[in-house]
């Protein structure tokens, strides 16, 4: 069993669907960014920036993950993370048994159809989706990261591939890690050429 299972990938690629499938399979818990309670400002006056919003969500999400871990939960699923934060996972979770599942797709039409047919509607930004997927296809794997190509696969196939990765991959607990340059990641918040 893992301590944490992170799922990353382009918008509309099936992260939430996979998270729900893993939650059902492992009967444990899942922490996604949308679960963070509503907040407007820190003091009721100061305007909320995208960077502060993302940082608040990320810190609350990681606090929730560590709380579940302290309580003995295993295979805690985490998804809906700004892609730039993926590079922080090996820093923050060093010493824990974690895996990051990077979902990618080589068929842009399949990706667009998945976004178009989202059950909850959600964001429909095909250019953002394409750029995120391209960055993930090009970026080398990080510590404890495994790539799952969803091209031509159904939901159940992706779920089975994920379960196989989780159960057959041994996570490194001790390692040297240098965070890759931010240009290798996509960020919906931190513009600076990351879009």
């Amino acid at each position: 069993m893992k301590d944490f299972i992170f799922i990353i990938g382009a918008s509309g690629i099936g992260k939430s669907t996979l998270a729900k499938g893993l939650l059902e399979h492992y009967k444990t818990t899942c922490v996604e960014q949308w679960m963070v309670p509503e907040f407007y400002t820190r003091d009721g006056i100061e305007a909320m920036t995208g960077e502060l919003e993302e940082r608040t969500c990320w810190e609350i999400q990681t606090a929730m993950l560590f709380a579940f871990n302290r309580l003995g939960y295993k295979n805690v699923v985490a998804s809906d993370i700004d892609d730039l934060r993926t590079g922080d996972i090996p820093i923050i979770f060093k010493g824990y048994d974690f895996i990051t599942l990077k979902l990618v797709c080589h068929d842009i039409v399949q990706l667009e159809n998945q976004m178009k047919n989202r059950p909850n509607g959600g964001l429909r930004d095909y250019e953002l989706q394409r750029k995120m997927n391209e960055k993930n296809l090009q970026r080398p794997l990080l510590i404890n990261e495994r790539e799952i190509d969803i091209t031509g696969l159904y939901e159940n196939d992706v779920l089975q591939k994920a379960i196989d990765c989780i159960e057959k991959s041994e996570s490194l607990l001790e390692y040297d890690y240098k965070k890759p340059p931010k240009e290798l990641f996509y960020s919906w918040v931190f513009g600076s050429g990351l879009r």
Side-chain angles (χ1 to χ4, degrees):
M1 286 198 276
K2 303 287 184 201
D3 291 318
F4 305 106
I5 301 165
F6 296 95
I7 305 170
I8 63 116
S11 183
I13 202 165
K15 298 183 298 292
S16 291
T17 301
L18 178 56
K20 287 176 190 161
L22 291 173
L23 176 62
E24 186 62 32
H25 178 78
Y26 289 113
K27 307 288 189 223
T28 177
T29 189
C30 178
V31 179
E32 291 191 276
Q33 186 173 308
W34 64 266
M35 297 172 176
V36 172
E38 283 293 324
F39 57 92
Y40 297 101
T41 69
R42 290 189 282 196
D43 59 8
I45 301 165
E46 169 191 27
M48 177 61 65
T49 65
E51 289 187 30
L52 178 58
E53 177 186 6
E54 187 280 334
R55 182 176 175 198
T56 302
C57 288
W58 172 245
E59 292 197 10
I60 290 170
Q61 192 173 10
T62 56
M64 289 169 68
L65 291 170
F66 284 127
F68 279 118
N69 182 264
R70 280 192 306 277
L71 291 168
Y73 287 79
K74 294 293 184 185
N75 291 330
V76 177
V77 179
S79 186
D80 197 19
I81 300 164
D82 187 72
D83 189 50
L84 188 60
R85 290 293 182 185
T86 304
D88 294 332
I89 292 171
I91 298 168
I92 295 170
F93 296 92
K94 184 174 182 175
Y96 290 89
D97 190 349
F98 73 89
I99 187 170
T100 302
L101 303 174
K102 177 170 75 166
L103 304 183
V104 298
C105 185
H106 287 87
D107 182 354
I108 196 64
V109 174
Q110 176 185 338
L111 260 186
E112 288 174 354
N113 285 333
Q114 285 182 203
M115 181 176 273
K116 186 176 13 178
N117 297 318
R118 283 174 155 180
N120 62 352
L123 177 69
R124 289 199 178 155
D125 185 334
Y126 301 108
E127 183 181 350
L128 173 145
Q129 181 187 50
R130 180 184 50 77
K131 286 180 179 179
M132 286 179 79
N133 189 59
E134 284 174 3
K135 285 221 178 195
N136 278 325
L137 282 167
Q138 295 166 1
R139 180 177 56 75
L141 293 175
L142 305 176
I143 299 291
N144 295 334
E145 187 175 47
R146 304 294 182 271
E147 185 174 282
I148 297 177
D149 186 354
I150 68 150
T151 307
L153 299 181
Y154 293 104
E155 287 176 17
N156 287 341
D157 299 326
V158 175
L159 176 60
Q160 191 55 57
K161 274 193 160 202
I163 291 167
D164 290 345
C165 275
I166 293 162
E167 296 181 359
K168 293 177 182 174
S169 298
E170 193 169 321
S171 299
L172 294 173
L173 302 179
E174 291 299 321
Y175 46 79
D176 293 320
Y177 173 73
K178 183 179 178 189
K179 186 175 174 180
K182 64 181 183 178
E183 291 75 24
L184 293 179
F185 301 91
Y186 184 92
S187 178
W188 61 271
V189 176
F190 303 93
S192 312
L194 302 181
R195 294 183 177 200

